[in-house]
Amino acid sequence: MGTSLARIIVRFNLKACHLMRPSETDQANGTKERYTDIRFHEHNLDQMIVYKNDDLYKGTIIQYKIIIDTFSSAENNDINNINNIVQEDESVVLQVQTLVQPKQILRVLKSDEFSVKLKHLEVSSSYDQKEQMSRDFTHTMGPYSEPILIHEWATDNVSYNVSYLWIDPTNVLAAVTSVMIDGNTTIDHVRSTLKTPILPGEWKIKLVWNSQVFVETSFLISPLEFLNKMPLTSQQVGFVHGGSYPYSLKSAGSFWTRYLDSNKPHESLERKAALNSRRTGFDLQQWIDSLVSRWFTIGETCVLNSANIALRCGTSWTHSLESCVRTPWSSAYPDPKSDIVSINGTSGYLNRW
């Protein structure tokens, strides 16, 4: 997931950036026209850092390296002539951080006293039952994950029997989980009964009560690009991304099919899923990036090692990327509470500020 996000950021957010050095003069003083090509390689992902403020999750920091190749034109007055553009004998590697936030998709289809009682509904993994929260803050789930539905309700001393319909990307009912909502319980979770590998794509969950769909939410099962640290081969993708048909629904499963979306024909979606399951290489990367880009909001980017160079972005290159040490959400931003200044000679304790 982090590799895909870094590719998306470089391709769509940083392509308009331009490399500048403090020693360079502006073009009006005779500097040659310069061009910048920014690249990212999958091995350049450093780490993903959870960003919290006051113990509240605010996003995830993607830390990665970008490779910047610079080009310049031989003549200022003929920069449109491709023959006048020559590559310089240098490539600059910058380490940057970008803040991203996963999107929460929740649709209230019927609003009344019952739907108002539902305070939160999401699908994630790595659920901590003791803390009643998911440790998977980015909701990173793949074909071999175990999706868990987390629901939070307002207490009212009234119990409800509700059903959750798990619908796959081809508009097929994959599972039904019926649970009782205790009026005294605020947060609970439901483990899915889905078999692995799970079909990649956008899944949907519908909450049904009293024979009506009140709320629906969606979650992403992202395709795998690597398996055991190696790119997926054409022999592997069909099994890994082919799903687990047929689903083992009980005989009552046919009763719930009336709640499926009638405007989404299963046959065409099934053909599309079959074609996607055969993707490899760059084609597979494009599929992954197209899915991931719809599920994350890309925030600001800052530069970690920017002592002698700067990246200016925007149509007129007027906006410079800030240094991470001056960016409050960055892990490089100074935190006096965690700094060890010296050791107190009298008490022997650490001086933190």
Side-chain angles (χ1 to χ4, degrees):
M1 184 72 75
T3 300
S4 177
L5 283 167
R7 274 199 307 261
I8 294 168
I9 296 165
V10 170
R11 187 178 304 164
F12 297 105
N13 292 60
L14 298 183
K15 273 300 181 182
C17 294
H18 179 70
L19 182 68
M20 300 291 292
R21 294 183 181 277
S23 59
E24 289 182 340
T25 58
D26 56 29
Q27 295 180 21
N29 293 331
T31 300
K32 296 178 180 179
E33 182 77 14
R34 293 174 62 88
Y35 302 88
T36 300
D37 180 48
I38 300 179
R39 297 179 287 118
F40 168 79
H41 192 273
E42 54 264 22
H43 297 301
N44 290 339
L45 177 68
D46 292 333
Q47 58 181 327
M48 297 175 65
I49 307 167
V50 173
Y51 170 54
K52 289 185 176 182
N53 192 348
D54 291 333
D55 288 332
L56 295 177
Y57 173 72
K58 298 296 183 180
T60 297
I61 300 171
I62 311 295
Q63 181 173 310
Y64 54 101
K65 298 182 183 71
I66 55 176
I67 305 169
I68 305 174
D69 298 319
T70 54
F71 301 79
S72 62
S73 64
E75 299 291 340
N76 275 339
N77 56 4
D78 194 15
I79 61 175
N80 293 322
N81 187 347
I82 192 66
N83 295 322
N84 284 336
I85 300 177
V86 295
Q87 183 172 357
E88 296 182 350
D89 294 330
E90 69 168 345
S91 290
V92 178
V93 178
L94 277 185
Q95 193 174 36
V96 297
Q97 291 185 341
T98 302
L99 183 65
V100 301
Q101 295 174 318
K103 295 180 180 179
Q104 297 286 340
I105 300 178
L106 183 67
R107 308 176 189 91
V108 178
L109 305 180
K110 184 176 177 58
S111 181
D112 64 2
E113 294 181 359
F114 173 76
S115 59
V116 171
K117 298 179 188 300
L118 181 65
K119 299 174 63 177
H120 184 70
L121 184 70
E122 70 172 6
V123 179
S124 191
S125 62
S126 302
Y127 184 73
D128 188 330
Q129 190 167 353
K130 180 180 178 181
E131 299 294 334
Q132 293 185 318
M133 62 176 292
S134 170
R135 299 294 182 183
D136 180 13
F137 295 101
T138 57
H139 304 167
T140 305
M141 291 176 286
Y144 295 99
S145 299
E146 182 186 16
I148 296 176
L149 177 67
I150 305 169
H151 48 173
E152 182 177 359
W153 300 80
T155 56
D156 60 358
N157 297 321
V158 179
S159 298
Y160 303 92
N161 289 313
V162 302
S163 297
Y164 292 109
L165 312 185
W166 301 69
I167 303 170
D168 79 358
T170 66
N171 198 32
V172 170
L173 183 63
V176 179
T177 51
S178 298
V179 296
M180 186 185 74
I181 307 301
D182 189 344
N184 296 318
T185 302
T186 56
I187 301 177
D188 205 349
H189 68 286
V190 178
R191 295 187 180 274
S192 72
T193 58
L194 301 175
K195 293 182 179 180
T196 58
I198 303 173
L199 185 67
E202 179 180 333
W203 282 69
K204 185 178 294 184
I205 289 185
K206 295 189 177 186
L207 187 158
V208 179
W209 178 72
N210 200 21
S211 300
Q212 297 182 78
V213 179
F214 281 80
V215 177
E216 68 178 29
T217 186
S218 300
F219 64 96
L220 175 66
I221 296 295
S222 178
L224 295 182
E225 186 176 349
F226 300 93
L227 188 64
N228 297 326
K229 299 182 180 180
M230 297 295 293
L232 258 67
T233 65
S234 56
Q235 291 78 24
Q236 294 171 325
V237 289
F239 174 77
V240 174
H241 295 154
S244 298
Y245 292 120
Y247 299 118
S248 55
L249 284 172
K250 297 180 180 179
S251 57
S254 58
F255 168 81
W256 301 104
T257 56
R258 58 178 173 166
Y259 297 108
L260 298 177
D261 295 331
S262 58
N263 60 341
K264 293 184 177 181
H266 164 67
E267 291 75 14
S268 60
L269 293 174
E270 187 178 33
R271 287 193 297 269
K272 183 179 179 181
L275 292 173
N276 286 334
S277 68
R278 294 196 287 267
R279 292 179 181 237
T280 58
F282 180 70
D283 196 26
L284 175 58
Q285 286 185 359
Q286 287 187 311
W287 179 34
I288 296 173
D289 294 352
S290 67
L291 290 172
V292 172
S293 62
R294 299 201 299 265
W295 287 84
F296 283 87
T297 299
I298 308 298
E300 296 178 329
T301 296
C302 65
V303 184
L304 282 170
N305 52 341
S306 58
N308 299 317
I309 54 180
L311 275 179
R312 291 187 180 177
C313 304
T315 55
S316 302
W317 300 331
T318 55
H319 170 65
S320 296
L321 293 185
E322 191 67 79
S323 172
C324 288
V325 296
R326 294 191 294 270
T327 305
W329 53 260
S330 172
S331 62
Y333 190 73
D335 184 5
K337 297 188 298 298
S338 62
D339 290 341
I340 299 176
V341 179
S342 61
I343 298 178
N344 189 299
T346 303
S347 64
Y349 292 111
L350 298 175
N351 293 325
R352 293 183 178 272
W353 53 78

